[in-house]
Amino acid sequence: MILDITYYGNPVLRTSGEKIEAIDETTRALVQDMIETMHEASGIGLAAQQIGRALQLAVIDIPAEIETPSRMWIEDRRVDWSEYMPLVLINPVCSTIKKKDTAEEGCLSFPGISASITRPSRVTCTCRNLEGETWTFDADGLLGRAVQHEVDHLNGVLFTDHMDPAEKRHLREEIETIRQQGLEQSQES
Ligand code: ZN
């Protein structure tokens, strides 16, 4: 089922997600709907807040043929990241390295907006999967960036919070238009 995507201005996007205690049929159905919604919107990541649920749950699906490089490691062993797509992050906890990269980023909750965002170049993430197992992986490149962007959402942080102030000023009218939409959307539901 395709779900409605929440826009900036909807307070749910500023709400930290609750931990998921039981991974059951309801969780699996929600994950399935989130993956369908992300694909329908041509996104590579979607957090629960973006479909109106404040939970520690996000999905990522980077197409294997994408040109932007990514690398992934499990217990220091390099793995083929494409075999782990779609990636389901449940209750993720991340740490990052000091080195930073800058790249163009967008967000389904800010339609039409993209900006260059500087983030740590590599992330270590411990989370649960749909089988309930806890596992840890490292990622860099586009995948590392997507993981950080989605985990930010789960803590109420948005990519505009990382934007260069000058770039943000330049986009302020577009951002304000979306904020009004998001606010109206939250008042309708
Ligand atoms: Zn986003």
Side-chain angles (χ1 to χ4, degrees):
M1 184 170 69
I2 307 292
L3 307 169
D4 287 336
I5 293 178
T6 55
Y7 296 134
Y8 174 59
N10 190 323
V12 70
L13 288 172
R14 286 300 191 189
T15 310
S16 278
E18 272 181 47
K19 263 193 173 179
I20 293 183
E21 300 299 341
I23 298 169
D24 51 19
E25 273 314 304
T26 312
T27 319
R28 278 185 274 275
L30 179 60
V31 165
Q32 195 51 50
D33 288 346
M34 284 174 64
I35 290 172
E36 279 178 38
T37 303
M38 169 178 63
H39 287 160
E40 167 79 11
S42 303
I44 61 166
L46 189 72
Q49 279 78 351
Q50 293 182 281
I51 48 98
R53 303 283 301 274
L55 295 169
Q56 291 291 325
L57 169 65
V59 295
I60 290 174
D61 195 4
I62 297 176
E65 65 277 9
I66 207 153
E67 279 178 18
T68 317
S70 295
R71 289 183 297 177
M72 185 178 185
W73 297 263
I74 296 175
E75 287 167 4
D76 291 328
R77 193 174 53 86
R78 177 91 179 265
V79 296
D80 178 357
W81 60 267
S82 66
E83 289 176 6
Y84 292 81
M85 299 296 130
L87 190 58
V88 180
L89 307 175
I90 299 171
N91 305 338
V93 177
C94 291
S95 60
T96 52
I97 64 167
K98 281 214 178 87
K99 185 175 175 283
K100 294 199 160 85
D101 277 340
T102 302
E104 201 70 5
E105 228 172 270
C107 178
L108 293 176
S109 295
F110 291 81
I113 288 186
S114 67
S116 55
I117 303 288
T118 301
R119 293 185 184 273
S121 61
R122 178 165 166 160
V123 62
T124 304
C125 182
T126 298
C127 59
R128 293 177 79 194
N129 62 20
L130 273 184
E131 284 70 51
E133 300 153 347
T134 298
W135 67 301
T136 299
F137 65 92
D138 278 51
D140 73 359
L142 181 60
L143 178 58
R145 179 169 291 276
V147 168
Q148 292 177 66
H149 181 116
E150 297 316 324
V151 172
D152 269 356
H153 272 301
L154 306 186
N155 297 301
V157 176
L158 300 169
F159 87 134
T160 44
D161 302 336
H162 298 289
M163 242 180 229
D164 172 71
E167 194 158 8
K168 198 171 171 178
R169 266 196 305 279
H170 179 70
L171 291 167
R172 69 178 182 276
E173 280 180 29
E174 285 99 319
I175 292 174
E176 179 55 23
T177 304
I178 297 168
R179 195 183 68 82
Q180 291 295 340
Q181 280 178 14
L183 200 59
E184 280 169 29
Q185 181 185 48
S186 69
Q187 286 159 352
E188 281 161 15
S189 57

